[in-house]
Amino acid sequence: MSGDRYTKVAITLHWVIALMIIGQLGTGIIMGYNLVDKSILFPMYQFHKSLGLSVLVLSVVRLLWRLGHKPPALPAHMPTWEKWGARLSHYGFYFFMIFVPFSGWVLVSTSSFGMPTMWFNLFEWPHIPGLDTMTDGTKEQVNQWSETFHVYMAYAMLGLLFLHIGAALKHHFIDKDNVMHHMIPLIKAKSKLPLALVLFSCLSFPAQAAPWKVDHLTSFISFEGKNSGEVFTGKFLEWEADIDFDPAKLEEAKILVTIKTGSAKTLNMIYNKTLPKEEWFNAEETPKATFESNKIKSLGGDKYEAHGKLTIKNITHDFILPFTLKIDADEAAMTADTKINRLDFDVGKKADPAGDFVSKDIALSIRVDADQ
């Protein structure tokens, strides 16, 4: 699995199971409301049961595969409640995909008709062992319970399916992120403006017909501070940015930046080993820092301000980044210089709260060159 896609096995299982579930729900509704001639009910029951048992087996396989393969991360811009909703819906699907067909298997195994299940007319699928030893009264009660559970959970699954489809469409057409790209092979990841953004800042170029391409040979993002009076410099090497920016439509501009705090590198090996530790960036527990804009303001000419929320080590503060953007035909250049107080984000606050060794203020310098 690549960082932004599920594995081929997971994608295949997803769509095979999805098609089977649609067929299973469809035949279930048709049979439940007697929408077909009775002469084809028996083969439809067999087909319905074959689909259900296939979903049961493949869902167990998919769950085992999922436990051993981490899925792609959810977009950083998603609010916490939406991320929890996504997780709960996935848990719900696993519950329904396993227990709805299993309840159907119980229903068939306790039926007084004793009807065998022919798996796609290839072989007979056995009833659940042990259920045939129950008394008739107990078997009838279990049969009624399983039927009620099977029907109501099937309707609940149908509702969750519509919710799942609606959420996927929202991500693709409203949020315009790459969530659908995770699972649909034919949908490519949306082209994002590949702009280098520092941990405590954001920048963007105007949206035009062709995407901007950053010249990484001349672009840089650096930070600078002092330790015991000696100047140190470094860079953040790994980041992601979702940017929607048009100087003519600043009210619609949106910028979301996600930085891997563990990617901070200096020329000092001791600093490189120290920065990811708990007292500083705590990269293991808080591996990402984010900046999300809520307003882009023009200062006149080629000068702008990006207003938003900066989060580091799960601490969030308002942050303003002034930057200059110059565009000449198909070339653009962005520069920014600012600073942050590391203590505001609990970076080295216990080790050096007074800034006796490491300076409180950390200077940030950014230059990004891009062309079309």
Side-chain angles (χ1 to χ4, degrees), residues 230-341:
E230 294 186 4
V231 175
F232 65 87
T233 61
K235 294 182 179 180
F236 295 96
L237 304 181
E238 297 182 50
W239 51 267
E240 294 178 359
D242 291 329
I243 302 171
D244 184 1
F245 184 88
D246 183 344
K249 300 178 180 179
L250 290 181
E251 68 280 0
E252 300 177 4
K254 295 180 180 179
I255 300 174
L256 174 66
V257 182
T258 304
I259 305 291
K260 290 186 178 180
T261 55
S263 71
K265 299 298 179 184
T266 71
L267 297 178
N268 188 306
M269 293 299 295
I270 296 178
Y271 296 170
N272 292 342
K273 292 182 179 180
T274 303
L275 285 174
K277 292 186 177 181
E278 180 180 0
E279 173 60 16
W280 299 91
F281 283 131
N282 195 13
E284 183 175 347
E285 294 187 10
T286 56
K288 296 180 180 179
T290 61
F291 175 83
E292 185 169 8
S293 70
N294 49 44
K295 181 176 67 174
I296 306 295
K297 180 180 179 181
S298 174
L299 302 181
D302 53 13
K303 298 185 182 298
Y304 300 88
E305 280 184 346
H307 296 240
K309 299 288 186 179
L310 176 63
T311 301
I312 306 170
K313 295 181 71 174
N314 292 333
I315 299 173
T316 301
H317 290 294
D318 292 330
F319 188 74
I320 301 175
L321 174 72
F323 64 93
T324 300
L325 177 63
K326 296 182 179 181
I327 300 176
D328 182 9
D330 59 352
E331 296 183 349
M334 176 272 180
T335 57
D337 290 287
T338 187
K339 63 181 180 180
I340 61 102
N341 187 324

Side-chain angles (χ1 to χ4, degrees), residues 47-329:
F47 181 69
H48 179 81
K49 290 188 291 182
S50 297
L51 284 177
L53 292 168
S54 300
V55 168
L56 174 60
V57 173
L58 291 177
S59 295
V60 172
V61 172
R62 183 181 174 188
L63 178 59
L64 294 175
W65 184 266
R66 165 66 179 82
L67 294 175
H69 298 79
K70 187 177 180 180
L74 294 172
H77 67 78
M78 287 178 63
T80 301
W81 69 265
E82 193 171 349
K83 290 182 178 180
W84 273 107
R87 295 188 183 99
L88 289 175
S89 69
H90 281 87
Y91 298 152
F93 268 119
Y94 279 115
F95 175 84
F96 290 135
M97 290 188 303
I98 292 175
F99 287 101
V100 170
F102 182 78
S103 65
W105 191 13
V106 173
L107 178 62
V108 172
S109 299
T110 56
S111 173
S112 59
F113 291 105
M115 184 185 301
T117 297
M118 300 301 298
W119 191 80
F120 294 113
N121 287 327
L122 296 177
F123 59 86
E124 182 177 346
W125 187 281
H127 293 323
I128 298 176
L131 295 185
D132 57 346
T133 62
M134 295 188 301
T135 63
D136 291 342
T138 302
K139 186 182 295 186
E140 182 179 358
Q141 192 172 38
V142 171
N143 183 266
Q144 291 176 353
W145 287 345
S146 60
E147 181 179 15
T148 301
F149 181 89
H150 189 72
V151 171
Y152 282 101
M153 290 301 100
Y155 279 116
M157 187 179 191
L158 181 62
L160 184 60
L161 178 62
F162 282 120
L163 181 64
H164 182 69
I165 294 173
L169 294 176
K170 170 185 175 291
H171 278 289
H172 190 69
F173 293 105
I174 298 178
D175 297 339
K176 299 184 184 300
D177 54 32
N178 294 330
V179 168
M180 288 185 70
H181 168 69
H182 293 168
M183 191 56 78
I184 302 181
L186 297 180
I187 292 184
K188 296 182 179 180
K190 290 182 175 294
S191 297
K192 299 295 182 182
L193 202 57
L195 302 179
L197 291 153
V198 75
L199 176 61
F200 314 113
S201 63
C202 66
L203 57 106
S204 59
F205 294 125
Q208 298 190 18
W212 291 96
K213 296 182 180 180
V214 174
D215 183 355
H216 292 282
L217 293 178
T218 59
S219 301
F220 64 85
I221 306 167
S222 64
F223 56 88
E224 180 179 300
K226 288 185 178 182
N227 185 10
S228 300
E230 294 186 4
V231 175
F232 65 87
T233 61
K235 294 182 179 180
F236 295 96
L237 304 181
E238 297 182 50
W239 51 267
E240 294 178 359
D242 291 329
I243 302 171
D244 184 1
F245 184 88
D246 183 344
K249 300 178 180 179
L250 290 181
E251 68 280 0
E252 300 177 4
K254 295 180 180 179
I255 300 174
L256 174 66
V257 182
T258 304
I259 305 291
K260 290 186 178 180
T261 55
S263 71
K265 299 298 179 184
T266 71
L267 297 178
N268 188 306
M269 293 299 295
I270 296 178
Y271 296 170
N272 292 342
K273 292 182 179 180
T274 303
L275 285 174
K277 292 186 177 181
E278 180 180 0
E279 173 60 16
W280 299 91
F281 283 131
N282 195 13
E284 183 175 347
E285 294 187 10
T286 56
K288 296 180 180 179
T290 61
F291 175 83
E292 185 169 8
S293 70
N294 49 44
K295 181 176 67 174
I296 306 295
K297 180 180 179 181
S298 174
L299 302 181
D302 53 13
K303 298 185 182 298
Y304 300 88
E305 280 184 346
H307 296 240
K309 299 288 186 179
L310 176 63
T311 301
I312 306 170
K313 295 181 71 174
N314 292 333
I315 299 173
T316 301
H317 290 294
D318 292 330
F319 188 74
I320 301 175
L321 174 72
F323 64 93
T324 300
L325 177 63
K326 296 182 179 181
I327 300 176
D328 182 9

